[in-house]
Amino acid sequence: MALAAISGEAPLSVLKPQAVRSSRQGAHSAGLSGTFATARGTGNLKLAGRVWLQAGLLVPLARRRRRTRGLRTASAASSAPVAGKYDGPALDAYYGKNPLRAVSRLVEVVSRINAARTAWQDEAQPQQQRGQRLRDEVSSLGTVFVKLAQTMATRSDLVTKELGRELRVLQDSMGRFPDEVALETIREEFEWTGPVAARRPGPEGHEASKDGEPLFASLSAEPVAAASLAQVYRGNLLDGREVAVKVQRPGLADQVGLDFYVLRQMLSAVNAVMGATRSSEIAESVLSEVADGLFAEIDFTMEGQHIEKFMDLYGADCPDVVVPEVIWSRTRLKVLTTTWLLGRKPRDLNAQEKLRMVNLAAPCLSLQLMGAGFVHCDPHEGNMMLLEDGRLGLIDFGLVAQMTDVHQESMASAILSLLAEDYRALVPCFRGMGILSSQRDDDEDLKRPGETQPFAEALEEALTGGGGGRLVQESAGLDRRRAFGQLYEELSNLAFRYYFTLPSYYILVMRSFVTLEGIAFGADPDFNMYTTSSPYAFRRLLAQQASAKEAARLATKTVAEVLLAAEGEELREILASLDSTELVEDLASKGAAPFRRAALSAALGRMRPTSDRQHRRQLRRMMRRHLSRAAQRRPLLVAKLLLQLLRALLP
């Protein structure tokens, strides 16, 4: 990627060197970091310059080839980019009609990226100053490049740790747009000729003088919040309800489409000159990932659908979590109107209130991960609030993820393996999660050149601090061995030694957990996210539906063993706290057969012969209590489970 090229030491530049020709002609991908790494190594930017020049020359050439192959339809050529769906070929056809505009934007992008690269590599300056100049140049390019850089900041397989740290705090530099433009956007979206608001203080108050019924009873004179995609006004409906009105930045869809077109042509040109490599595939996947997310975010009707889907899936199970109601009569593609949530952000809470917020948010996030798999992936401090009645409010559902059954069950297995401190069992979990592609037991194909240590061994060493010591994060002196943030950090570090991918859903989910952990640790240094999420992981593992069998088998065996060991006290406490009827229901499900066998072996003493008999007796008493409680409500269900256990005894 162009931004990865800023760092001459980015992992992309040391990926496996063999070229892998793309199976698709004209694939829009290329290893730009390799280009800059070469240029830097020779002390010559001419190669990079030639690539950029050829990018402009190849645009019309590529269009002519597409015409001769019949790949360019009349409808595609005449259609503007559609919010909600990323369609690369359609962008090529639409923006290819105006190559001068594309070349002009290309020149600006190349100029800014080269300025950012020069600033970052100026080692005579302090890193803080170099980082600020880098961020200034990237943010000046607008929303697409800010989103791209923020994504790359979480991908240690793309950029160095130092560069990632600087990009992680990147913010766009796009300020407010004029309020009159926002009002005009509302009029256009609703095809409205009357007043937008009956009452609107400030210099634009003349709105009230227009004839006809207004859309809103009132609207704030200025936005209460502004970001790269939109700005938000506070207002009232005609029935008196207080609302938030989110208005999209003017020309956003067109600019987003143009920028992705330029990036696609740059990648295509470099790919044509240098050939496709493994880095090409990674660059293309990152570009598609960011484009898919951003095109979805700029369709505000999709965000409204996300809000309603979230409420339908989790409202009953998370009664203390509140999301705004979508006002569909006042919502369009570029305008989203929702009920106003009144609360305080984390920065305005005391330690006790922060802990309450996390104790409400963490179980809800765990339920999203292990339940339907539909996850709100942007719970930063600006999108969460503690409401006046003590409940948690969530806003901004533009960024969501849908996990597959395999991903969910592999992550459930990983959580329980982490809690059981069986770090080698994480390897099959990571395969199921899509982090590792290797199917070899020795994982030899994961090693980067010069690496000799097996991945499983390196992972265990990283998560135990080496030699079994307790792991601390940076210089805070706090135990972070059981923090999702620590797992994410260690995986990021290992990306420089091994070939693996951090999938987009994983990055989004981990970012959500890390955000909550950051709030929680400020109030309670002993907060343990694994303990909070493990009951949901237990249930998901018991009711598995997918084919992540190896990860589930190892996690089941590990959990059963640790339940009988001295270090399994936390797991035993979690098991004891589960709802008895739900536990028996899960144990009786078809997917829980491996766990039933493991539990039976544990109860009969066939597993872990060195385990403490006291823990075995404790586990038996605990299960008898669960069965007794469940039998009072669901006697037939308990009978079914007992029959299944008896069948498991048969040879």
Side-chain angles (χ1 to χ4, degrees):
M1 298 297 297
L3 295 174
I6 293 170
S7 170
E9 300 174 352
L12 277 177
S13 63
V14 294
L15 284 169
K16 290 185 177 178
Q18 66 268 24
V20 181
R21 288 291 172 185
S22 174
S23 60
R24 291 175 291 178
Q25 294 294 326
H28 296 278
S29 57
L32 293 186
S33 64
T35 302
F36 276 104
T38 302
R40 185 188 183 201
T42 60
N44 186 359
L45 285 175
K46 290 183 179 179
L47 173 60
R50 285 200 302 273
V51 170
W52 300 126
L53 177 61
Q54 291 181 48
L57 295 177
L58 285 173
V59 168
L61 177 61
R63 287 205 310 277
R64 286 197 297 272
R65 284 202 298 264
R66 283 195 296 272
R67 279 198 297 268
T68 60
R69 294 173 184 170
L71 295 180
R72 192 175 172 207
T73 65
S75 60
S78 60
S79 300
V82 178
K85 180 176 176 56
Y86 169 57
D87 186 339
L91 294 181
D92 296 345
Y94 180 76
Y95 290 101
K97 295 183 298 182
N98 189 354
L100 291 180
R101 184 186 179 200
V103 170
S104 175
R105 180 58 171 166
L106 172 67
V107 170
E108 181 184 8
V109 169
V110 173
S111 174
R112 293 289 186 181
I113 293 298
N114 276 331
R117 175 181 176 274
T118 301
W120 177 246
Q121 294 181 352
D122 184 7
E123 297 183 357
Q125 301 296 327
Q127 181 169 325
Q128 182 178 3
Q129 183 176 336
R130 291 188 291 126
Q132 185 60 55
R133 290 178 59 194
L134 162 74
R135 292 191 296 274
D136 289 344
E137 294 292 347
V138 175
S139 64
S140 68
L141 287 172
T143 302
V144 168
F145 292 88
V146 169
K147 294 282 187 181
L148 190 61
Q150 289 172 336
T151 299
M152 292 175 62
T154 64
R155 295 288 300 264
S156 55
D157 53 338
L158 296 180
V159 299
T160 63
K161 182 188 296 186
E162 292 76 16
L163 180 57
R165 187 179 297 116
E166 296 297 334
L167 294 178
R168 200 169 293 135
V169 295
L170 177 68
Q171 300 291 333
D172 65 79
S173 59
M174 301 173 71
R176 285 176 45 191
F177 57 89
D179 297 319
E180 181 55 43
V181 173
L183 294 176
E184 187 59 33
T185 298
I186 295 174
R187 294 190 195 101
E188 290 176 356
E189 286 298 295
F190 289 92
E191 299 180 351
W192 198 258
T193 57
V196 172
R199 300 186 308 278
R200 191 162 183 273
E204 305 300 331
H206 65 272
E207 272 288 306
S209 65
K210 291 193 174 184
D211 296 332
E213 184 182 67
L215 283 172
F216 300 94
S218 66
L219 209 60
S220 57
E222 296 181 346
V224 295
S228 59
L229 302 185
Q231 53 195 36
V232 179
Y233 294 84
R234 188 172 182 175
N236 291 89
L237 298 177
L238 299 180
D239 62 10
R241 282 182 293 173
E242 194 168 20
V243 293
V245 183
K246 183 176 179 179
V247 184
Q248 190 171 119
R249 188 172 290 276
L252 180 64
D254 180 60
Q255 187 62 52
V256 167
L258 174 63
D259 283 348
F260 278 115
Y261 169 74
V262 168
L263 286 168
R264 285 170 58 83
Q265 299 308 316
M266 290 166 60
L267 294 176
S268 180
V270 177
N271 195 52
V273 173
M274 303 183 65
T277 64
R278 181 170 179 170
S279 60
S280 309
E281 298 171 3
I282 296 177
E284 184 178 16
S285 69
V286 171
L287 184 64
S288 296
E289 169 194 323
V290 175
D292 285 338
L294 193 49
F295 269 87
E297 281 193 83
I298 61 178
D299 181 350
F300 289 174
T301 64
M302 289 188 67
E303 181 174 349
Q305 293 167 13
H306 294 160
I307 293 173
E308 293 195 337
K309 183 175 181 178
F310 184 93
M311 196 61 196
D312 290 342
L313 291 173
Y314 309 119
D317 294 317
C318 299
D320 291 324
V321 176
V322 179
V323 299
E325 176 190 351
V326 181
I327 310 299
W328 286 109
S329 64
R330 295 295 182 266
T331 293
R332 295 293 187 272
L333 186 74
K334 298 179 182 179
V335 179
L336 173 65
T337 302
T338 62
T339 53
W340 184 269
L341 296 186
L342 183 61
R344 291 174 295 148
K345 302 295 176 64
R347 63 177 177 270
D348 301 320
L349 304 178
N350 59 39
Q352 185 177 0
E353 290 170 329
K354 286 181 179 179
L355 198 57
R356 173 173 175 76
M357 170 181 280
V358 174
N359 285 332
L360 292 174
C364 184
L365 177 57
S366 300
L367 177 64
Q368 295 169 55
L369 288 176
M370 302 304 162
F374 182 75
V375 186
H376 177 272
C377 287
D378 203 13
H380 63 71
E381 295 201 6
N383 290 341
M384 294 189 296
M385 62 187 76
L386 192 64
L387 304 181
E388 293 182 331
D389 60 6
R391 293 184 296 172
L392 170 70
L394 291 179
I395 59 175
D396 196 348
F397 282 77
L399 190 60
V400 298
Q402 179 62 63
M403 299 175 64
T404 67
D405 288 336
V406 173
H407 290 160
Q408 287 179 279
E409 289 162 19
S410 298
M411 184 169 281
S413 301
I415 290 172
L416 295 178
S417 296
L418 282 163
L419 195 58
E421 300 182 27
D422 186 354
Y423 301 121
R424 294 193 180 225
L426 291 173
V427 174
C429 298
F430 288 164
R431 288 196 184 103
M433 291 163 63
I435 295 174
L436 302 181
S437 59
S438 171
Q439 298 300 319
R440 292 176 51 169
D441 292 337
D442 58 8
D443 291 330
E444 282 297 317
D445 54 342
L446 293 177
K447 297 177 182 176
R448 290 186 183 273
E451 182 58 54
T452 59
Q453 189 177 27
F455 176 76
E457 182 179 311
L459 179 64
E460 181 177 42
E461 184 177 287
L463 293 176
T464 58
R470 294 187 69 79
L471 198 63
V472 295
Q473 189 174 45
E474 297 179 347
S475 59
L478 300 174
D479 177 21
R480 290 290 181 266
R481 181 178 54 181
R482 294 184 177 180
F484 278 93
Q486 187 63 54
L487 173 63
Y488 181 69
E489 182 175 332
E490 296 303 331
L491 273 179
S492 298
N493 291 335
L494 289 174
F496 292 94
R497 298 169 55 190
Y498 302 91
Y499 295 108
F500 58 82
T501 301
L502 298 177
S504 58
Y505 85 87
Y506 172 82
I507 293 171
L508 293 173
V509 166
M510 292 300 286
R511 190 171 68 178
S512 301
F513 272 117
V514 170
T515 298
L516 293 180
E517 284 179 337
I519 298 172
F521 289 146
D524 180 11
D526 295 324
F527 181 82
N528 190 331
M529 187 67 80
Y530 293 154
T531 302
T532 302
S533 59
S534 56
Y536 302 91
F538 255 126
R539 294 206 63 192
R540 182 68 195 193
L541 195 60
L542 290 175
Q544 58 182 291
Q545 302 171 9
S547 56
K549 294 181 179 178
E550 178 64 10
R553 183 187 66 81
L554 287 177
T556 296
K557 181 175 181 292
T558 298
V559 169
E561 288 185 346
V562 174
L563 282 171
L564 299 174
E567 63 267 27
E569 185 61 34
E570 280 186 292
L571 279 179
R572 288 191 290 272
E573 290 178 359
I574 292 168
L575 183 61
S577 68
L578 295 178
D579 180 90
S580 298
T581 303
E582 291 180 351
L583 175 62
V584 172
E585 187 176 38
D586 290 336
L587 283 170
S589 67
K590 181 180 179 181
F595 203 93
R596 287 196 298 270
R597 289 192 292 270
L600 194 60
S601 296
L604 297 177
R606 297 175 181 173
M607 182 180 291
R608 199 176 181 111
T610 59
S611 63
D612 193 328
R613 292 183 179 179
Q614 177 185 351
H615 297 142
R616 186 179 293 115
R617 289 195 296 269
Q618 180 185 357
L619 193 60
R620 288 173 179 168
R621 288 195 300 269
M622 183 190 308
M623 290 309 301
R624 281 198 296 268
R625 284 196 297 270
H626 276 308
L627 290 171
S628 176
R629 293 170 187 161
Q632 295 176 16
R633 299 175 59 188
R634 302 278 300 278
L636 293 179
L637 178 64
V638 173
K640 176 184 176 181
L641 175 60
L642 293 175
L643 182 60
Q644 289 172 325
L645 292 173
L646 287 174
R647 287 176 179 171
L649 288 172
L650 298 177

